[in-house]
């Protein structure tokens, strides 16, 4: 069927395309295009009315020019005209132009919608399909407004042609994706579900996609689709390869439909009905069995289609995570693929196994493939496959194989592609920390990391090694010795100098007894690197030197000589100069006692989530990583030598419990002296550019503690590691943090500035809630174009449904308007929705965004239970993922009554007489979401002496435990 | 599926289909980046890669690359076969399709794609049914063409 004989050759178009192809240069092409554009413009503007054919041809040329990458700013009207042509081919080109070149011109949209409306009503299936395709391609909100009501009717009407049904289903799907609020569920939904039974497999294929998307957001309404999907699937997988005629693809019966059905089933937990469940298990077994059969064709299409279904089946098995037998079989199957000659299959097997590794049933089975995966790391030629292998090694790592995996990753790092080095560094650092039985191994691993890939070792990684060394007394001597040895290398990475400088400054005394590492040798070694380092590292080394003055009085004069040299005291860099001046002064005038106090060893850091983990999560996005992390968190706590509140209390006496990350807060180093003068929570780092506390100190020594610390220049803060890292924790750029005050109460003022006050009243019941938002105009002038809407970002969209009615666009001066939000919790969530308000005040547009205090705990129902029940359930929830514990410092006075009120306000029942220790608090409740209910137990142990709390949460879902713990721990 | 791109070994875009709303600027940026990434890959490499938060599935047929972007939970292998089925459809319609057919009949390539995929999902996977729909439309055109033959002018 040669193309030229098809339909209407537009010769003019063909000639034009040939011309363009013959252009020798870009300039010639542009010239030719401009000539054509001028021609078309004059034709469109000309007096002579163009016939349909010409219009079509010119519109087609414009389309071609656009697809070449040029902008097109006219022709839209002519394209719209073509819609009303009764010639199919003209109509078709008109629709194509509109689909490709949507214009937001509202006037035009109205005309386009008019054309579509006519075609939809034409009852001519070919025209109807064109119109539906156009809606699906454009999918704009205006179209959703115009057609979202009609399309469901077309979809379920008895007399609609099959092909129109198919288009209608996917058209509706597109509209639902762009404007879910405009597609109301209704009586049609149950009829759509029954399309799964349709005789026409094309209709079933299209409908399954629609149902899957709808079911993700409205699982309850589409629940009946489960049994229909299972029986449809069962019929397909058991059919002979010829039964489905043209829907069989290279001997695989309906692979696309099978994949879609399996995907639909992943919206739901395993079927409750035993018969359905049994049938599904049979299907899955059949699919796994078929993988073992000899192929019916040598073509790659056959194996791809077959394996596409297999991988989707494995995804479903992993999703259900309930049939150990199937999980292990899936794992074995993937194990076979790991050695397959097709790169694609190896890639997918590695990827799929990552998720299997997090299931308790298959974790061990996955581990048996470790050698193959390590082999992949060494032999795969494609970096994307090696990347998958790294991911899988990371996922399958536990205490039993950590040493091997870390060693292999380090090994690989030597030759790894630059694009994935940083990620491997983070992963190695995390695994080494998590599974360190012996901290000398941990220290060695990190130093190796710096040696092999120093440039990719981010601040988080070396901060963390310092935190751990400081917190673990048993490793300090070893760390000092090891960094000392590593620094002997003639060329070492600057990061090593940083770590070395810091550790020797703290613990150099532990190795000073050895003649080979006497104080002077240590100092000379570090100072030999000094001149090769950047300013921040030099600043850090200067701090090490002043610490040496305290540790090793015998080399004080040597150090003073260095500080006194012109290259320091008159250094062009203000920061270095300042440190040199102040440290020199400090070393001269302070008594030994003062020096000892000021330069005391760092106290242990408060325990917190590894900052490296946060960085990796950010890098990879949420999902995989966090999932694996959750399961591992538990083990982490125990090994990290988590400091008990009691021991913490003595050392963290400085009032800055909220330090972020590095928290190498100078407040702690310069214990007590400068702190009181600067007050509150200083968040500066002694080794950063910001030398504020040092400055205060030096001047304080001279001026008798007059705290005139003008040196705290805010500019210095820019590169402060503590600040920089803080940003990585905080994903919301413009919106203020979620207010903690609403976690335990429902009413109050959410926001207030000079113009506007926003008040809240809310009530929650089970998984539903209603929030009354009051907007008060505090001025005497009208607010115009007032609008407010609620935005659920990304993942939250599927977890939380919030419906609002628009408010009146005008708010009179001094008046208050009310908006009602209806809230439905679909599944557990972490993020908070954002309330976005816009209005005009005195000609300028005002924009306010605040986080709405809709938090997971609002959907609590308190549960009373006896002590016996409580402990029985507590024990049942003993999986490591299910428990989250946090130890934190009290931010408010520790008042028993207030604490009780807060726990009740949080939503749980406060259980008296459960905990043997009467000063502890115990609570229980159930989180209601549309999809699941999650039972929650909590225990709060105050330690008044240490002014600390320990909070433990156990729930059946790790994400819920995490979130609730995060929310509640901010309350005390 | 979020979008599908067809481009030549020289990096010339031959067809673009977007199933998510994006600005022209963003589309151009994505296209540029992706064409570069895919063309840089060696022949025997895996057909899948991670790109931003999407998965890219691509395959080369003669001088043309077919490249689809799918979401995290989407199935890579079945997407690969979506590409193949589309190639089969083009091949059957044009008769041994080559890049030139798609250049000169780009509108047909779009029409066939619309019959096969809609909103980024497979609408009709039967080759017969898709071609039947396209041929019916062509028939509609031919009937009218006989009475208004027009050749010539540009």
């Amino acid at each position: 069927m040669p193309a030229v004989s098809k339909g209407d050759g537009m010769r003019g178009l063909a000639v034009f395309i040939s011309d363009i192809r013959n252009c020798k240069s870009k300039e010639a092409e542009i010239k030719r295009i401009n000539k054509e554009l001028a021609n078309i413009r004059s034709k469109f503007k000309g007096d002579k009315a163009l016939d349909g054919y010409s219009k079509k041809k010119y519109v087609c040329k414009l389309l071609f020019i656009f697809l070449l990458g040029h902008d097109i700013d006219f022709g839209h009207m002519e394209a719209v005209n073509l819609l009303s042509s009764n010639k199919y081919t003209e109509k078709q080109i008109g629709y194509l132009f509109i689909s490709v070149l949507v214009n937001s011109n509202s006037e035009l949209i109205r005309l386009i919608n008019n054309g579509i409306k006519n075609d939809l009503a034409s009852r001519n299936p070919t025209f109807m399909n064109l119109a539906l395709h156009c809606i699906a391609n454009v999918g704009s909100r205006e179209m959703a407004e115009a057609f979202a009501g009609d399309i469901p009717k077309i979809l379920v009407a008895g007399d609609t042609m099959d092909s129109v049904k198919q288009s209608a289903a996917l058209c509706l799907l597109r509209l639902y994706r762009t404007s879910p609020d405009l597609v109301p569920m209704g009586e049609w939904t149950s009829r759509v579900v029954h399309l799964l039974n349709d005789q026409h497999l094309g209709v079933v294929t299209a409908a399954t996609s629609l149902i899957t998307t709808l079911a993700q957001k409205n699982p309850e309404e589409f629940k009946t689709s489960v049994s229909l999907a299972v029986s449809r699937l069962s019929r397909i997988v058991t059919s002979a390869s010829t039964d489905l005629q043209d829907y069989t693809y290279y001997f695989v019966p309906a692979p696309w439909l099978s994949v879609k059905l399996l995907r639909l089933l992943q919206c739901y937990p395993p079927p409750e009905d035993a018969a359905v469940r049994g049938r599904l298990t049979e299907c899955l077994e059949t699919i796994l069995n078929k993988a073992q059969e000899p192929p019916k064709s040598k073509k790659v299409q056959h194996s791809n289609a077959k394996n596409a279904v297999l991988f989707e089946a494995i995804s479903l098995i992993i999703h259900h995570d309930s049939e150990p037998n199937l999980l292990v079989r899936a794992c074995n199957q993937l194990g076979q693929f790991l050695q397959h000659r097709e790169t694609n299959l190896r890639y997918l097997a590695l990827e799929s196994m990552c998720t299997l590794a997090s299931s308790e049933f298959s974790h061990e089975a996955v581990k048996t493939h470790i050698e193959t995966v390590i082999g992949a790391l060494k032999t795969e030629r494609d970096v994307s496959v090696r990347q998958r292998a790294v991911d899988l090694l990371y996922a399958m790592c536990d205490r039993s194989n950590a040493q091997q995996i870390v060693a292999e990753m380090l090994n690989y790092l030597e030759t790894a592609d630059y694009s994935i080095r940083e990620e491997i560094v983070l992963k190695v650092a995390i695994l080494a920390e998590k599974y360190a039985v012996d901290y000398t191994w941990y220290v060695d691993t990190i130093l190796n990391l710096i040696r092999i890939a120093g440039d990719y070792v981010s601040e988080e990684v070396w901060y963390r090694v310092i935190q751990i060394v400081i917190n673990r007394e048993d490793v300090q001597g070893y760390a000092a010795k090891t960094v000392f040895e590593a620094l002997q290398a003639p060329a070492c990475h600057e990061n090593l100098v940083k770590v070395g400088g810091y550790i020797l400054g703290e613990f150099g005394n532990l190795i000073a007894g050895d003649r080979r590492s006497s104080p002077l040798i240590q100092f000379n070694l570090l100072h030999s690197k000094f001149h090769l380092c950047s300013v921040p590292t030099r600043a850090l080394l200067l701090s090490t030197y002043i610490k040496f003055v305290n540790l090793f009085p015998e080399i004080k004069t040597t150090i003073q000589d260095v500080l006194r040299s012109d290259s320091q005291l008159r250094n062009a860099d203000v920061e270095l100069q300042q440190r040199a001046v102040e440290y020199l002064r400090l070393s001269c005038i302070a008594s030994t006692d003062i020096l000892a106090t000021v330069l005391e060893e760092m106290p242990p850091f408060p325990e917190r989530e590894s900052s490296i983990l946060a960085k990796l999560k950010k890098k990879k996005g949420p999902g995989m990583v966090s999932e694996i992390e959750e399961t591992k968190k538990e083990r982490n706590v125990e090994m990290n030598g988590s400091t008990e509140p009691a021991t913490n209390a003595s050392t963290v006496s400085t009032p800055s419990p909220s330090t972020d990350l590095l928290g190498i807060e100078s407040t702690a180093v310069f214990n007590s002296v400068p702190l009181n003068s600067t007050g509150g929570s200083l968040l500066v780092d002694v080794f950063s550019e910001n030398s504020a506390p040092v400055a205060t100190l030096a001047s304080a020594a001279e001026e008798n503690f007059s705290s005139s610390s003008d040196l705290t220049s805010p500019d210095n803060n820019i590169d402060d590691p503590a600040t920089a890292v803080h940003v990585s924790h905080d994903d919301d750029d413009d919106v203020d943090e979620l207010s903690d005050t609403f976690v335990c109460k429902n009413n109050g003022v959410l926001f207030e500035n000079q113009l506007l006050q926003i008040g809240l009243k809310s009530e929650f019941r089970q998984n539903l809630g209603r929030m009354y938002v009051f907007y008060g105009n505090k001025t005497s002038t009208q607010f115009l174009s007032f609008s407010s809407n609620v935005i659920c970002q990304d993942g939250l969209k599927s977890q939380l449904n919030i419906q609002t009615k628009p408010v009146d666009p005008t708010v009179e001066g001094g008046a208050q308007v009310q908006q009602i939000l209806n809230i439905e919790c679909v599944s557990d969530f972490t993020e908070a929705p954002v309330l976005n308000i816009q209005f005009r005040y005195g000609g300028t547009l005002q924009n306010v965004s605040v986080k709405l205090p809709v938090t997971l705990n609002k959907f609590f129902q308190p549960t009373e239970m006896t002590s016996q029940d409580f402990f029985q359930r507590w024990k049942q929830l003993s999986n490591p993922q299910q428990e989250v514990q946090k130890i934190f410092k009290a931010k408010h006075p520790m008042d028993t009554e207030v604490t009780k009120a807060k726990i009740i306000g949080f939503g749980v029942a406060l259980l008296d007489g459960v905990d043997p220790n009467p000063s502890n608090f115990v609570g229980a409740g159930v989180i209601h979401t549309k999809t699941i209910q999650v039972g929650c137990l909590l225990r709060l142990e105050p330690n008044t002496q240490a002014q600390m709390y320990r909070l433990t949460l156990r729930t059946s879902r790790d994400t819920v435990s995490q979130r609730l713990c995060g929310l509640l721990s901010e309350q005390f | 599926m979020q979008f599908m791109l067809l481009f030549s070994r020289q990096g010339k875009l031959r067809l673009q289909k977007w199933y998510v709303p994006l600005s022209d600027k963003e589309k151009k940026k994505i296209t540029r980046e992706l064409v570069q990434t895919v063309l840089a890959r060696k022949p025997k490499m895996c057909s899948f890669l991670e790109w931003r938060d999407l998965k890219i599935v691509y395959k080369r047929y003669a001088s043309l690359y077919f490249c689809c972007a799918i979401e995290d939970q989407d199935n890579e292998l079945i997407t690969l076969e979506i590409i193949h089925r589309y190639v089969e459809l083009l091949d059957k319609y044009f008769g041994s399709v080559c890049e030139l057919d798609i250049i000169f009949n780009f509108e047909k390539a779009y029409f066939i794609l619309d019959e096969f995929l809609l909103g980024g999902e497979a609408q009709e996977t039967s080759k017969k049914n898709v071609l039947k729909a396209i041929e019916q439309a062509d028939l509609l055109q031919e009937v009218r063409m006989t009475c208004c033959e027009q050749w010539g002018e540009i």
Side-chain angles (χ1 to χ4, degrees):
Chain A
M1 285 187 275
V4 276
S5 76
K6 287 275 169 193
D8 56 331
M10 284 176 279
R11 210 175 100 88
L13 176 66
V15 169
F16 173 60
I17 295 175
S18 295
D19 280 2
I20 295 286
R21 286 180 53 77
N22 289 333
C23 286
K24 294 277 187 292
S25 65
K26 192 83 200 158
E27 290 72 36
E29 182 184 310
I30 291 172
K31 210 172 148 204
R32 179 68 186 85
I33 286 171
N34 285 338
K35 184 180 155 205
E36 192 63 40
L37 286 175
N39 173 42
I40 300 173
R41 214 177 249 124
S42 73
K43 295 279 186 205
F44 283 169
K45 277 196 186 142
D47 310 327
K48 211 175 78 189
L50 288 176
D51 60 30
Y53 170 80
S54 305
K55 234 185 255 171
K56 177 184 79 172
K57 187 183 67 191
Y58 293 130
V59 164
C60 224
K61 281 181 181 174
L62 287 178
L63 199 50
F64 183 77
I65 293 170
F66 176 78
L67 292 172
L68 282 177
H70 302 266
D71 295 331
I72 294 295
D73 53 6
F74 68 104
H76 300 84
M77 204 45 169
E78 284 72 17
V80 174
N81 283 342
L82 286 176
L83 295 189
S84 49
S85 163
N86 54 5
K87 288 191 186 138
Y88 177 75
T89 129
E90 288 163 16
K91 199 188 266 298
Q92 200 183 21
I93 295 291
Y95 273 124
L96 180 60
F97 186 92
I98 288 159
S99 301
V100 177
L101 272 138
V102 239
N103 195 305
S104 53
N105 184 328
S106 61
E107 188 61 21
L108 222 49
I109 285 283
R110 221 166 35 97
L111 291 171
I112 295 169
N113 282 354
N114 224 1
I116 292 176
K117 193 157 268 167
N118 290 337
D119 282 334
L120 282 184
S122 70
R123 308 190 64 81
N124 173 337
T126 336
F127 288 3
M128 286 173 86
N129 273 340
L130 273 185
L132 289 168
H133 291 177
C134 181
I135 302 174
N137 282 327
V138 176
S140 67
R141 205 169 163 82
E142 290 87 349
M143 285 195 176
E145 274 162 6
F147 303 110
D150 297 336
I151 295 171
K153 288 180 205 142
I154 297 177
L155 177 59
V156 298
D159 57 347
T160 305
M161 299 265 296
D162 289 331
S163 69
V164 177
K165 270 189 201 162
Q166 286 167 272
S167 301
L170 293 177
C171 185
L172 194 56
L173 164 67
R174 174 71 197 264
L175 293 185
Y176 188 76
R177 280 194 187 140
T178 36
S179 324
D181 53 317
L182 295 178
V183 181
M185 296 299 116
E187 176 258 346
W188 59 276
T189 49
S190 62
R191 298 174 64 184
V192 164
V193 173
H194 281 277
L195 290 178
L196 289 173
N197 265 338
D198 203 280
Q199 291 204 320
H200 191 286
L201 279 187
V203 172
V204 187
T205 307
T208 308
S209 291
L210 172 65
I211 294 166
T212 306
T213 307
L214 294 172
Q216 279 162 353
K217 300 223 175 126
N218 318 277
E220 207 47 43
E221 260 126 302
F222 290 88
K223 221 174 173 174
T224 47
S225 64
V226 173
S227 62
L228 292 176
V230 169
S231 65
R232 189 91 224 190
L233 183 68
S234 156
R235 270 179 282 160
I236 295 171
V237 297
T238 54
S239 67
S241 57
T242 49
D243 286 358
L244 305 177
Q245 293 163 349
D246 210 33
Y247 289 91
T248 297
Y249 180 82
Y250 291 88
F251 304 101
V252 182
W256 284 280
L257 179 53
S258 306
V259 167
K260 285 184 181 189
L261 289 168
L262 287 162
R263 180 80 190 277
L264 167 59
L265 292 170
Q266 287 170 61
C267 301
Y268 292 93
E272 281 155 23
D273 181 329
V276 178
R277 193 173 174 146
R279 204 162 176 203
L280 178 57
T281 305
E282 264 171 42
C283 285
L284 295 171
E285 278 169 349
T286 312
I287 294 170
L288 284 167
N289 291 341
K290 279 188 179 173
Q292 297 300 325
E293 290 169 10
K296 294 198 175 73
S297 155
K298 283 209 169 71
K299 290 238 170 132
V300 68
Q301 283 77 25
H302 171 70
S303 79
N304 278 353
K306 189 165 130 182
N307 292 327
V309 178
L310 176 63
F311 274 105
E312 204 61 54
I314 291 176
S315 295
L316 179 62
I317 292 169
I318 297 172
H319 169 80
H320 284 172
D321 198 14
S322 61
E323 301 262 358
N325 177 31
L326 287 176
L327 281 160
V328 171
R329 278 193 71 184
C331 184
N332 293 339
Q333 182 60 55
L334 294 176
Q336 287 182 19
F337 284 151
L338 285 182
Q339 320 224 29
H340 203 277
R341 61 187 167 75
E342 279 271 329
T343 314
N344 287 347
L345 285 180
R346 295 198 302 275
Y347 176 98
L348 294 176
L350 289 166
E351 180 184 67
S352 205
M353 258 198 191
C354 263
T355 34
L356 266 182
S358 55
S359 162
E360 56 178 316
F361 299 116
S362 48
H363 183 78
E364 287 303 316
V366 170
K367 274 168 61 186
T368 60
H369 298 286
I370 183 165
E371 296 301 334
T372 320
V373 183
I374 288 170
L377 204 57
K378 290 177 175 159
T379 55
E380 284 293 351
R381 283 188 295 178
D382 185 345
V383 52
S384 45
V385 185
R386 290 196 296 271
Q387 164 96 61
R388 288 284 85 85
V390 172
D391 287 349
L392 178 52
L393 284 179
Y394 180 74
M396 67 162 70
C397 191
D398 61 21
R399 191 156 287 174
S400 72
N401 55 19
Q403 300 241 354
Q404 186 188 7
I405 286 179
V406 165
E408 291 296 346
M409 283 187 166
L410 275 174
N411 211 350
Y412 174 55
L413 190 58
E414 308 235 16
T415 53
D417 315 72
Y418 296 113
S419 56
I420 60 175
R421 282 196 179 183
E422 188 186 355
E423 198 183 313
I424 298 179
V425 167
L426 291 174
K427 285 182 166 159
V428 169
I430 290 167
L431 294 178
E433 180 188 332
K434 288 238 154 103
Y435 301 118
V437 185
D438 163 4
Y439 278 88
T440 59
W441 174 71
Y442 169 74
V443 171
D444 286 342
T445 305
I446 302 295
L447 290 182
N448 262 331
L449 271 184
I450 296 177
R451 184 177 57 76
I452 298 169
D455 285 344
Y456 297 89
V457 172
S458 54
E459 284 176 338
E460 286 88 345
V461 174
W462 73 261
Y463 286 178
R464 189 68 185 166
V465 70
I466 285 170
Q467 287 181 6
I468 286 177
V469 170
I470 284 175
N471 284 11
R472 306 279 322 191
E473 212 172 302
D474 53 339
V475 80
Q476 288 160 356
Y478 180 81
K481 180 166 163 285
T482 319
V483 293
F484 177 77
E485 279 162 11
L487 284 168
Q488 305 283 342
C492 49
H493 196 275
E494 197 169 327
N495 277 337
L496 180 67
V497 180
K498 288 180 186 160
V499 174
Y502 200 120
I503 289 181
L504 292 179
E506 294 293 322
F507 308 115
N509 55 328
L510 299 178
I511 56 166
D514 189 323
R515 263 188 312 120
R516 287 163 299 176
S517 51
S518 69
L520 190 59
I521 295 179
Q522 286 186 38
F523 174 73
N524 286 337
L525 180 61
L526 282 175
H527 199 54
S528 70
K529 316 281 180 196
F530 187 90
H531 301 279
L532 301 169
C533 292
S534 63
V535 169
T537 309
R538 289 192 203 182
L540 185 152
L541 285 177
L542 288 179
S543 298
T544 303
Y545 298 169
I546 189 68
K547 287 225 151 191
F548 274 177
V549 168
N550 175 44
L551 287 182
F552 312 127
E554 62 267 39
I555 59 166
K556 180 170 167 183
T557 50
T558 316
I559 291 171
Q560 284 175 332
D561 286 346
V562 168
L563 293 176
R564 202 176 284 128
S565 70
D566 277 356
S567 62
Q568 309 296 353
L569 274 192
R570 299 180 178 212
N571 195 297
D573 185 88
V574 64
E575 172 65 31
L576 292 180
Q577 192 188 96
Q578 192 173 333
R579 285 199 189 202
V581 170
E582 286 163 4
Y583 288 156
L584 180 61
R585 193 86 187 117
L586 176 67
S587 73
C588 293
I589 59 168
S591 71
T592 331
D593 281 352
I594 291 183
L595 273 185
T597 318
V598 167
L599 303 169
E600 198 185 4
E601 190 179 298
M602 293 285 287
F605 290 90
E607 244 353 280
R608 62 191 127 206
E609 184 190 25
S610 160
S611 48
I612 312 176
L613 215 59
K615 171 137 182 161
L616 185 66
K617 277 183 194 165
K618 190 179 155 69
K619 214 173 147 51
K620 294 286 274 185
M624 271 300 298
V625 182
S626 56
E627 226 166 84
I628 299 168
E629 286 333 312
E630 315 298 83
T631 60
K632 292 182 178 165
K633 192 150 278 169
E634 170 69 9
R635 287 168 262 183
N636 179 20
V637 172
E638 128 229 348
M639 68 135 275
N640 226 343
S642 95
T643 34
E644 287 298 305
T647 56
N648 244 357
S650 59
T651 45
V652 191
S653 55
T654 47
S656 64
S658 62
T659 49
D660 214 289
L661 186 74
L662 212 200
I664 304 182
E665 344 86 275
S666 47
T667 52
V669 188
F670 296 95
N671 229 340
S672 72
V673 185
L675 205 89
N676 303 335
S677 57
T678 34
S681 54
L682 261 181
L683 271 177
V684 273
D685 161 18
V686 67
F687 289 154
S688 75
E689 262 76 6
N690 191 333
S691 61
V694 182
T696 322
L697 187 66
S699 55
E702 282 179 339
E703 297 166 27
N704 205 7
F705 294 92
S706 75
S707 61
S708 61
S709 60
D710 291 336
L711 298 162
T712 325
S713 133
D715 299 351
N716 282 345
N717 262 327
I718 294 169
D719 291 318
D720 184 342
T723 322
V725 175
H726 177 74
V727 174
S728 72
H729 275 289
D730 189 319
D731 286 330
D732 344 282
D733 299 328
D734 346 296
V735 186
D736 289 336
E737 261 315 301
L738 177 59
S739 163
D740 287 327
T741 49
F742 283 91
V743 170
C744 294
K745 61 177 195 167
N746 287 333
N747 306 330
V749 174
L750 177 64
F751 171 86
E752 184 155 22
N753 65 9
Q754 289 169 320
L755 308 177
L756 176 74
Q757 183 191 56
I758 305 176
L760 283 187
K761 259 189 188 176
S762 45
E763 45 189 300
F764 293 86
R765 208 183 129 77
Q766 302 208 326
N767 71 320
L768 300 175
R770 175 166 294 172
M771 192 173 265
Y772 301 86
V773 188
F774 301 92
Y775 304 99
N777 182 344
K778 289 168 66 181
T779 71
S780 52
T781 323
Q782 278 185 336
F783 290 165
L784 296 171
S785 318
F786 187 90
S787 77
S788 70
N789 54 56
V790 179
I791 297 164
C792 290
Q793 260 145 358
D794 305 327
L796 189 59
K797 240 181 274 175
S798 59
Q799 298 162 337
L800 210 56
N801 275 331
I802 301 189
Q803 285 176 344
T804 53
K805 288 212 181 87
V807 283
D808 198 314
T810 312
V811 184
E812 296 297 336
Q816 191 181 55
V817 295
Q818 175 193 323
Q819 185 175 35
I820 300 177
L821 314 182
N822 287 315
I823 303 163
E824 184 191 35
C825 174
V826 179
S827 63
D828 70 278
F829 61 96
T830 303
E831 293 303 326
V834 175
L835 181 65
N836 237 325
I837 297 129
Q838 269 196 347
F839 57 89
R840 279 190 180 282
Y841 169 74
T844 51
L845 194 63
Q846 305 284 330
N847 229 327
V848 174
S849 285
V850 276
K851 288 210 170 177
L852 270 181
V854 180
T855 47
L856 185 56
N857 65 299
K858 299 292 180 195
F859 304 96
F860 252 133
Q861 294 286 310
T863 317
E864 294 289 346
M865 57 175 81
T866 64
S867 171
Q868 197 190 352
D869 278 349
F870 182 89
F871 282 110
Q872 195 187 345
R873 285 178 208 204
W874 184 263
K875 284 197 194 96
Q876 280 166 358
L877 295 170
S878 60
N879 238 323
Q881 301 97 301
Q882 296 171 332
E883 184 190 278
V884 173
Q885 193 172 77
K886 194 164 173 183
I887 297 165
F888 53 92
K889 229 167 148 41
K891 280 192 287 200
H892 305 286
M894 297 174 83
D895 181 324
T896 309
E897 285 319 303
V898 174
T899 306
K900 277 185 181 170
K902 282 181 175 165
I903 291 177
I904 294 167
F906 192 61
V908 295
L910 190 64
L911 305 177
D912 275 325
V914 168
D915 199 303
N917 179 348
S919 57
N920 291 345
F921 305 92
V922 168
V926 175
I927 293 279
H928 285 254
T929 76
K930 191 171 177 188
T931 39
I932 47 161
Q933 299 191 353
V934 183
C936 308
L937 304 176
L938 70 84
R939 183 188 199 198
L940 181 72
E941 301 158 88
N943 178 341
T944 41
Q945 208 179 2
Q947 289 289 305
M948 312 258 315
Y949 288 100
R950 176 157 71 185
L951 173 64
T952 314
L953 253 297
R954 286 193 178 186
T955 81
S956 50
R957 257 179 99 82
D958 50 356
T959 47
V960 174
S961 307
Q962 291 285 346
R963 181 57 182 150
L964 292 177
C965 184
L967 284 170
L968 189 57
S969 61
E970 291 302 318
Q971 293 302 313
F972 303 103
Chain B
M1 187 185 298
Q2 298 220 339
F3 56 86
M4 184 194 248
L5 303 175
L6 266 65
F7 51 88
S8 70
R9 280 182 65 191
Q10 290 76 35
K12 289 235 186 225
L13 192 59
R14 295 302 179 204
L15 186 136
Q16 45 174 320
K17 189 79 188 180
W18 304 86
Y19 297 110
V20 283
L22 291 169
S23 68
D24 282 350
K25 204 173 142 203
E26 183 68 7
K27 286 178 188 172
K28 279 187 183 163
K29 186 160 170 260
I30 291 176
T31 309
R32 216 173 29 242
E33 257 180 58
L34 214 49
V35 168
Q36 226 172 26
T37 311
V38 171
L39 288 180
R41 289 175 64 84
K42 299 194 187 74
K44 292 257 164 141
M45 283 188 165
C46 163
S47 308
F48 319 125
L49 54 128
E50 276 187 339
W51 185 78
R52 297 191 186 176
D53 56 344
L54 297 174
K55 300 197 284 197
I56 303 298
V57 177
Y58 74 95
K59 189 163 181 180
R60 184 178 148 185
Y61 288 86
S63 60
L64 265 190
Y65 283 88
F66 289 69
C67 176
C68 298
I70 56 175
E71 277 150 74
D72 191 42
Q73 310 94 325
D74 289 339
N75 190 310
E76 290 98 336
L77 283 174
I78 208 73
T79 310
L80 207 50
E81 292 320 298
I82 282 196
I83 292 176
H84 187 75
R85 171 104 313 171
Y86 182 48
V87 172
E88 285 185 347
L89 288 166
L90 293 170
D91 198 60
K92 188 98 182 164
Y93 181 79
F94 289 110
S96 310
V97 68
C98 67
E99 194 183 336
L100 280 182
D101 290 316
I102 296 173
I103 297 173
F104 280 94
N105 302 281
F106 67 92
E107 79 284 9
K108 293 281 190 246
Y110 274 102
F111 297 148
I112 296 173
L113 189 58
D114 271 353
E115 290 292 338
F116 175 42
L117 294 181
L118 197 58
E121 304 283 341
Q123 171 177 216
E124 176 54 87
T125 62
S126 151
K127 197 154 67 174
K128 271 187 206 153
N129 289 353
V130 173
L131 289 171
K132 208 164 70 193
I134 293 289
E135 270 152 28
Q136 269 172 357
D138 280 342
L139 221 59
L140 277 176
Q141 302 177 2
E142 262 162 21
V143 172
R144 300 209 160 81
M145 276 306 292
T146 45
C147 51
C148 55
E149 203 122 322
Q150 311 217 10
W151 301 101
E153 87 286 22
I154 288 171

